[in-house]
Amino acid sequence: MSVAVRVIPCLDVDAGRVVKGVNFQGLRDAGDPVELAARYGAEGADELTFLDVTASSGGRETMIDVVRRTAEQIFIPLTVGGGVRSSGDVDQLLRAGADKCGVNTAALGRPELISEISRRFGNQVLVLSIDARRVTEDTPEGTARSGSGFEVTTHGGRRGTGIDAIAWTREVTERGAGEILLNSMDADGTEKGFDLELIGLARAATDLPLIASGGAGAPADFPPAVHAGADAVLAASVFHFQQMTIAEAKRAMADDGITVR
């Protein structure tokens, strides 16, 4: 692989603290975001992602403060997502020190937001987040059967949209997204490995950088995600609770012949 694969810790921030659960349920405290960010910067993370899981108007001020304090501590790119609904929100986060902004639900409601942000700030600041889950026989009635077998969800994977995840990947690419954060809601927090089928389908649908998220449990889980088509790999709890270091993840990929930073 010509471009070095990035390793990105993800911090889910709720009311100024980092939390983590399984499939976004049963959240537990994982520490102070500024302290964790500084640790990851020192440990060799290539980027950091913050997701504001409160994402209410009240949570926004807390998040702006966290972003500002974190940006003073680290020297690697910082992506912030959660509750970004307008180009004004993006402007506010960039001024606080974010390098990129993640957009998810608001783009589903109004896809024009994607091109608005990329025109105003450049597409390099826009990370389009897609929370995808498999459509199964148990999928609630009323959910459109997804052609790829994966649909886009909202509300931490609890609410289906009926939108085909791979068709949406193509659409956001055309509308001007700069990067795609592809999160498998089935694998999220399970630590059983990335959803390789989902990554492969998305890779075939876009030429944008693709960040694989959901399911990392061991260093050996990372190389298959890259071979399936990921340009970057993202994980949360395995790093927060020190089950694995960033160096171990990079070593597993390097040992597999993958170029890492």
Side-chain angles (χ1 to χ4, degrees), residues 13-18 32-34 50-70 80 82 92-93 96:
V13 181
D14 181 5
R17 298 290 292 177
V18 176
D32 176 72
V34 182
F50 277 9
L51 294 179
D52 179 1
V53 298
T54 320
S56 64
S57 54
R60 174 54 51 81
E61 286 309 311
T62 302
M63 196 63 174
I64 290 288
D65 179 57
V66 168
V67 170
R68 192 173 286 119
R69 289 189 293 123
T70 301
V80 182
Q92 194 179 21
L93 288 167

Side-chain angles (χ1 to χ4, degrees), residues 164-199:
D164 182 89
I166 304 308
W168 181 235
T169 299
R170 290 192 196 93
E171 180 174 345
V172 302
T173 301
E174 291 164 6
R175 285 183 179 273
E179 200 166 5
I180 291 175
L181 170 53
L182 183 68
N183 190 26
S184 166
M185 302 314 296
D186 302 303
D188 179 78
T190 64
E191 300 180 14
K192 294 177 180 176
F194 293 91
D195 190 322
L196 304 181
E197 181 188 1
L198 176 60
I199 296 167

Side-chain angles (χ1 to χ4, degrees), residues 5-257:
V5 170
R6 294 165 287 151
V7 177
I8 307 174
C10 180
L11 291 81
D12 295 323
V13 181
D14 181 5
R17 298 290 292 177
V18 176
V19 295
K20 193 58 196 167
V22 178
N23 303 124
F24 286 77
Q25 304 288 312
L27 298 179
R28 56 178 172 152
D29 190 283
D32 176 72
V34 182
E35 288 176 14
L36 274 174
R39 190 185 96 198
Y40 289 137
E43 288 180 1
D46 299 305
E47 295 186 12
L48 275 176
T49 294
F50 277 9
L51 294 179
D52 179 1
V53 298
T54 320
S56 64
S57 54
R60 174 54 51 81
E61 286 309 311
T62 302
M63 196 63 174
I64 290 288
D65 179 57
V66 168
V67 170
R68 192 173 286 119
R69 289 189 293 123
T70 301
E72 292 168 358
Q73 295 285 329
I74 63 169
F75 304 96
I76 54 177
L78 173 62
T79 300
V80 182
V84 175
R85 299 180 180 90
S86 68
S87 58
D89 290 340
V90 173
D91 186 55
Q92 194 179 21
L93 288 167
L94 294 176
R95 288 176 188 276
D99 298 282
K100 308 178 195 178
C101 288
V103 177
N104 185 347
T105 308
L108 287 164
R110 198 170 68 83
E112 301 80 20
L113 179 62
I114 299 168
S115 49
E116 287 171 13
I117 292 170
S118 67
R119 273 200 305 267
R120 180 171 171 185
F121 303 103
N123 73 343
Q124 76 283 351
V125 310
L126 179 54
V127 179
L128 200 292
S129 185
I130 299 175
D131 292 340
R133 72 173 177 198
R134 288 174 188 275
V135 177
T136 67
E137 293 305 312
D138 298 328
T139 302
E141 286 305 313
T143 301
R145 286 289 179 253
S146 176
S148 67
F150 293 91
E151 74 164 334
V152 180
T153 68
T154 62
H155 299 79
R158 295 187 296 278
R159 191 172 298 179
T161 62
I163 297 170
D164 182 89
I166 304 308
W168 181 235
T169 299
R170 290 192 196 93
E171 180 174 345
V172 302
T173 301
E174 291 164 6
R175 285 183 179 273
E179 200 166 5
I180 291 175
L181 170 53
L182 183 68
N183 190 26
S184 166
M185 302 314 296
D186 302 303
D188 179 78
T190 64
E191 300 180 14
K192 294 177 180 176
F194 293 91
D195 190 322
L196 304 181
E197 181 188 1
L198 176 60
I199 296 167
L201 288 169
R203 175 76 287 156
T206 184
D207 56 1
L208 293 178
L210 193 61
I211 306 166
S213 168
D221 291 331
F222 290 94
V226 177
H227 293 310
D231 300 285
V233 283
L234 180 146
S237 45
V238 289
F239 293 145
H240 302 338
F241 300 115
Q242 299 181 305
Q243 295 158 251
M244 177 199 334
T245 65
I246 291 163
E248 286 169 340
K250 290 190 173 187
R251 193 176 310 121
M253 290 188 285
D255 289 348
D256 206 289

